[in-house]
Amino acid sequence: MNSPVPHRHPATPRKVPGLRAFAVLLGIGNPSPQQWQALGEALLVGDEPMDRLVDWMSETGMATTRPLFEQALREGISSIPGAPEPLREFFGVYETVPEWVDWSAIRRAERVFRMGGTDGLYIARDVALLGGYLASGFNKTLIRTGALEKGPAKRFAETLQWALDVTSDDGMRPLGRGYRATMQVRLIHALVRRHLAAQPDWDAAEWGLPINQTDMAATLVGALISPFLGAMPMGILPARGELDAAAHLTRYVGWLIGVRDEWLPDGFRDSVRILYHCMTAITNPDETSAQLAMPMADDPLRWHYRNLSGLRGRIARAQHLSIASTFLGPSSMRQLGLPATMPPWYPLARVPVNLVRSALIRVLPGGTERAAAQGRRRQELFLRTLIGDRPAVIGESARTAA
């Protein structure tokens, strides 16, 4: 007999038009009945190791346990003489790098992400994040953590800062920038999950568990793989080995962030399969989709430009709607409360530029290193454009719920 699943889990896979095209090209079909059941059951599963640690931290007292957690992140668990057993047990696992981690592939993925420059980030924002609002079950969590009040720029800036940390040089080494950022996100997820699940208005039978395994897997793979998926039709052509390296980075980040092994990708094709299967299970737009998407579409009007703010804001709004419309399609745009069709001027303008750039990177000596350095400068500039000179503090937008 099948285990129960939340009501939000549909009887059959839903359509995900843009992503479906990639799935077909890679020979990926809809989930099997067993996979479909597993996706539904995972809506009720959290992150048991971190949830158990947070229960202990809360019962013992956050005033004493949170500083110990932060010290272990910065300096390692060995820096805490007589560390409490729950902390030693947890960090003993996650400070130990799994044998399957290939650091040469991780370094290659870091470089390729930086080489994508801002076009890869635009795909993450305008397709993965904006399109993610079609998953109304996940929106219930976002709205209850203040996403509407705090604004889309802040949320994406925190996500972007996390991605920059993850793809920094040796960022995913234990105690590195990406490692610390990822474990901070994992802690925030567990705190939010514990807080929201205890609220009287949280309908677990309908929505499942806040920040569950299915939602986490979709968010993880969407954040780190979508920039590569969307960048290819825009003329950025990574080699197959680079795509598999990106999937390997995603696998290690997912392991650190609390995604279970069955939802961690084994190669690029498998990462597309996981993302596609998860999205067929969680795509269910409702009124919250437009509530979150419409402010995001208008957000470029309020970004921090060095000059000509009004003009550049209007151009940026049209640019990002052009990207979203090209990849999400008219039906999804309408469900998000956005203009159904926009001329695909920005993607079309970037294709020849990126094709030439991709070719030159491969043939010129030192091309990949220069492209990675230039791409990272553009990514950091885009982060400053989003929020100005103030830093993006990972987890800050969810702090009231945590």
Side-chain angles (χ1 to χ4, degrees):
M1 181 180 294
N2 289 336
S3 300
V5 298
H7 298 155
R8 68 179 271 202
H9 188 57
T12 57
R14 294 195 175 99
K15 293 181 180 179
V16 190
L19 196 53
R20 173 62 178 162
F22 282 103
V24 169
L25 284 173
L26 293 173
I28 298 168
N30 283 338
S32 68
Q34 294 77 16
Q35 290 170 327
W36 189 244
Q37 178 68 18
L39 285 164
E41 293 173 3
L43 293 168
L44 293 165
V45 179
D47 171 9
E48 194 273 335
M50 182 58 89
D51 290 341
R52 186 172 64 247
L53 181 64
V54 163
D55 287 343
W56 169 79
M57 291 172 68
S58 299
E59 292 161 6
T60 305
M62 282 290 176
T64 57
T65 58
R66 185 72 177 265
L68 292 176
F69 182 92
E70 301 291 348
Q71 181 178 338
L73 271 191
R74 292 191 311 271
E75 304 170 38
I77 192 64
S78 62
S79 72
I80 306 174
E85 176 60 26
L87 274 180
R88 282 197 296 110
E89 179 185 351
F90 181 83
F91 281 99
V93 172
Y94 293 102
E95 283 184 8
T96 304
V97 178
E99 292 183 358
W100 50 260
V101 171
D102 179 347
W103 287 113
S104 64
I106 299 287
R107 286 192 295 272
R108 192 176 189 185
E110 293 166 353
R111 184 183 65 191
V112 174
F113 187 93
R114 296 195 292 266
M115 285 167 57
T118 50
D119 279 345
L121 300 185
Y122 296 161
I123 294 295
R125 179 190 183 273
D126 304 330
V127 182
L129 184 59
L130 189 64
Y133 292 146
L134 294 168
S136 60
F138 189 59
N139 293 349
K140 313 300 183 187
T141 298
L142 290 175
I143 289 173
R144 283 164 175 77
T145 54
L148 289 173
E149 294 80 6
K150 292 163 187 171
K154 188 174 185 62
R155 183 192 172 211
F156 183 66
E158 291 178 30
T159 302
L160 175 52
Q161 183 62 68
W162 168 76
L164 295 181
D165 289 344
V166 163
T167 56
S168 62
D169 287 328
D170 287 329
M172 291 309 299
R173 295 275 185 180
L175 310 187
R177 285 174 54 188
Y179 166 89
R180 296 196 307 271
T182 298
M183 296 299 274
Q184 283 283 7
V185 171
R186 186 174 185 177
L187 175 65
I188 294 295
H189 282 176
L191 291 169
V192 169
R193 187 162 44 242
R194 189 175 195 271
H195 173 79
L196 292 185
Q199 298 303 302
D201 69 339
W202 185 265
D203 188 346
E206 180 67 33
W207 305 325
L209 194 66
I211 315 183
N212 55 71
Q213 284 291 316
T214 304
D215 289 335
M216 286 170 61
T219 303
L220 166 77
V221 180
L224 293 181
I225 293 298
S226 288
F228 297 94
L229 282 175
M232 286 187 284
M234 289 175 66
I236 299 175
L237 303 177
R240 175 57 188 269
E242 292 172 338
L243 295 174
D244 285 334
H248 189 72
L249 172 64
T250 303
R251 180 178 183 82
Y252 181 42
V253 173
W255 179 79
L256 276 179
I257 214 168
V259 175
R260 287 166 57 160
D261 287 353
E262 56 264 40
W263 308 113
L264 297 178
D266 183 16
F268 181 73
R269 182 183 182 280
D270 196 44
S271 67
V272 177
R273 179 192 64 80
I274 290 171
L275 179 59
Y276 176 62
H277 285 185
C278 286
M279 293 307 297
T280 64
I282 66 176
T283 299
N284 184 24
D286 65 8
E287 69 282 355
T288 64
S289 301
Q291 275 184 289
L292 289 163
M294 292 171 69
M296 189 170 182
D298 291 335
D299 199 50
L301 300 173
R302 294 178 289 275
W303 287 351
H304 300 258
Y305 305 100
R306 292 180 179 176
N307 48 51
L308 301 175
S309 297
L311 175 61
R312 292 181 65 184
R314 291 191 294 273
I315 293 173
R317 182 182 184 276
Q319 169 191 336
H320 290 281
L321 284 173
S322 171
I323 297 169
S325 178
T326 299
F327 290 94
L328 295 178
S331 175
S332 294
M333 292 291 282
R334 280 192 291 268
Q335 290 167 333
L336 292 167
L338 303 177
T341 55
M342 289 284 291
W345 62 271
Y346 184 80
L348 290 177
R350 294 300 297 173
V351 167
V353 174
N354 286 330
L355 283 173
V356 171
R357 180 170 171 265
S358 294
L360 291 176
I361 287 171
R362 306 296 175 190
V363 300
L364 294 178
T368 55
E369 288 75 14
R370 283 195 300 275
Q374 293 169 356
R376 179 47 53 101
R377 285 194 294 270
R378 293 189 183 102
Q379 290 169 348
E380 292 172 344
L381 178 60
F382 181 52
L383 177 60
R384 290 196 296 275
T385 300
L386 285 174
I387 58 173
D389 293 328
R390 67 183 187 276
V393 180
I394 295 171
E396 188 175 63
S397 63
R399 196 144 289 171
T400 55

